[in-house]
Amino acid sequence: MTRGLARFHPAPRADWMEVMDSDWNDWKWQLKHRLTTLEDLESRLVLSSAERAGIRLSGTKLSLGITPHFFSLIDKKNPHCPIRKQVIPTIDESYVDPSEMLDPVGEDTTSPVPGLVHRYPDRVLLLVTDRCASYCRYCTRSRLVSGASGYDFHPELDRAIDYLKSHTEIRDVLLSGGDPLLLSDEKLDHLLGRLRAIPHLEFLRIGSRIPIFLPQRITPQLCGILKRHHPLWMSIHTNHPRELTTEVHQALGRLADSGIPLGNQSVLLQGVNDDVETMKELVQKLLFCRVRPYYLYQCDLIHGAKHLRSIVSKGLEIIEGLRGFTSGYAVPQFVIDAPGGGGKVPINPDYVIYKDEERVVFRNFQGKVFEYPEPSGSAVKPPNLSVPDYDVVSYS
Ligand SMILES: *Cc1c(COP(=O)(O)O)cnc(C)c1O
Ligand code: SF4
């Protein structure tokens, strides 16, 4: 069984063998050489007609953009490659299910200032840019990221900062977008500094997929800037174990060495990661990279993502298949971001079989049934409540 470092491999540079290491390892080179057109893809990959049609349409919806680093992880021989599905458009995106929305989790309705979403009592989401290093075809913010759909995204940072200053109930700001790590070092430093100057803000965090799409961006200089603004946490976004390459492992190591606690958010995607074995490998590799799996999201009801959405019961099966079977630290919380704007709601497998004032009856990860007598109950009066029949073996 492969363990530890042996599970990590450098990104195969197949199409870019002639490129100098100093270029390949330069995040600006990676951004400049992103694959953004049909020709870029067609010269490197045999596309299906569904993909070709999807790529032609992407310019009016969500742009096509893939860093050479991430593209090189695609298994060209496999039309169902889990990396390919995440970033290469298909014509299925143009099919909109009646249940789907442009703003599936109702962000625009809880936005007091453009770019700022204040849904929960003590924390806000601050969208600082509409650009990403690569574009995920299931992005919940595809209405605004990449600028392709004509959505008028103009974050008003000065107004957002004024709002934060005057709302002393806010203690936690989550920078997202788009990808905040696409800002220059100077801009990021300045923004974090302005936030840090607000005394009631205790907790800053950055949501970014750049450590995965563009690990070269995690330079020692960037880490030096980030660590000046502690306590600063980071949530990365990775869905499949193959995304965790040697370069990514090293980039995450630099962030962790800078004292940045790291979490991961995954989106449950059909044919990408909706099985226990894939997710187990992912979460174990994440712990090895010092990243704590944080959330597993049921895919939002975003326009044109039906072909990528898995079913809720798969998510529950994954959580059941992890809990007890691997490190507790490796088990993320499965959530549905309530359609229309109710926020993230935990969705959990049922371990409790029966409960009343006297006792709780529950099963463990193996399906064995146990009983816990409540302190208030049995000592005061004898337990005489009838517990419904339950069958130990049937819960395996
Ligand atoms: C996800 C989210 C947050 C952060 O939620 P946590 O559960 O604290 O990670 C904050 N605001 C909005 C609008 C969000 O969608
Ligand atoms: S990196 Fe995040 S914001 Fe950007 S396209 Fe992917 S899911 Fe959307």
Side-chain angles (χ1 to χ4, degrees), residues 117 119-120 123-125 174 205 294-295 297 337 344:
V117 185
R119 164 170 308 141
Y120 298 105
R123 58 205 187 281
V124 297
L125 176 66
L174 164 53
R205 40 179 167 161
Y294 182 40
Y295 285 139
Y297 287 93
D337 213 334
K344 299 176 186 71

Side-chain angles (χ1 to χ4, degrees), residues 118-319:
H118 191 181
R119 164 170 308 141
Y120 298 105
D122 68 341
R123 58 205 187 281
V124 297
L125 176 66
L126 183 57
L127 307 179
V128 297
T129 170
D130 59 355
R131 298 304 142 113
C132 301
S134 301
Y135 294 106
C136 314
R137 306 321 300 175
Y138 52 84
C139 178
T140 197
R141 290 197 196 107
S142 50
R143 71 185 184 285
L144 64 87
V145 301
S146 91
S149 74
Y151 179 96
D152 186 27
F153 179 72
H154 290 292
E156 296 188 32
L157 278 183
D158 291 333
R159 272 182 68 199
I161 297 227
D162 285 343
Y163 182 91
L164 293 173
K165 280 184 187 155
S166 62
H167 285 258
T168 52
E169 75 277 18
I170 299 169
R171 40 165 290 288
D172 170 1
V173 177
L174 164 53
L175 302 184
S176 183
D179 203 311
L181 295 187
L182 272 192
L183 298 186
S184 67
D185 287 0
E186 295 70 31
K187 277 201 174 135
L188 205 54
D189 193 20
H190 183 67
L191 174 60
L192 290 169
R194 287 180 82 184
L195 295 171
R196 267 285 157 249
I198 303 173
H200 52 269
L201 297 185
E202 295 182 320
F203 189 51
L204 300 181
R205 40 179 167 161
I206 293 177
S208 173
R209 209 177 175 186
I210 277 199
I212 304 299
F213 282 149
L214 190 61
Q216 298 83 2
R217 171 71 183 101
I218 312 300
T219 59
Q221 298 86 285
L222 176 68
C223 294
I225 287 169
L226 295 177
K227 72 195 269 193
R228 288 212 294 271
H229 301 283
H230 273 313
L232 177 76
W233 292 46
M234 192 178 291
S235 287
I236 67 162
H237 168 183
T238 176
N239 298 319
H240 189 276
R242 207 184 319 148
E243 296 169 33
L244 297 174
T245 65
T246 305
E247 297 85 348
V248 170
H249 172 249
Q250 289 168 355
L252 294 170
R254 289 192 287 277
L255 290 168
D257 285 346
S258 308
I260 301 170
L262 299 168
N264 179 63
Q265 321 202 75
S266 290
V267 181
L268 184 68
L269 297 169
Q270 192 199 316
V272 172
N273 60 3
D274 61 344
D275 63 278
V276 176
E277 281 318 304
T278 303
M279 280 304 292
K280 194 188 277 173
E281 193 185 345
L282 176 68
V283 295
Q284 289 178 350
K285 283 182 81 173
L286 282 166
L287 288 193
F288 192 81
C289 294
R290 291 182 273 173
V291 181
R292 166 83 157 97
Y294 182 40
Y295 285 139
L296 172 64
Y297 287 93
Q298 178 62 24
C299 188
D300 291 330
L301 296 172
I302 184 69
H303 268 196
K306 191 174 183 181
H307 61 292
L308 286 172
R309 263 190 279 137
S310 190
I311 53 176
V312 174
S313 53
K314 279 279 179 197
L316 288 170
E317 191 185 306
I318 287 166
I319 301 301

Side-chain angles (χ1 to χ4, degrees), residues 11-12 16 24 29-31 33-35 66-73 213:
W16 290 274
W24 181 261
W29 183 93
Q30 288 277 338
L31 276 184
H33 291 84
R34 283 193 303 179
L35 313 183
I66 312 172
T67 55
H69 168 85
F70 199 72
F71 181 87
S72 79
L73 306 182
F213 282 149

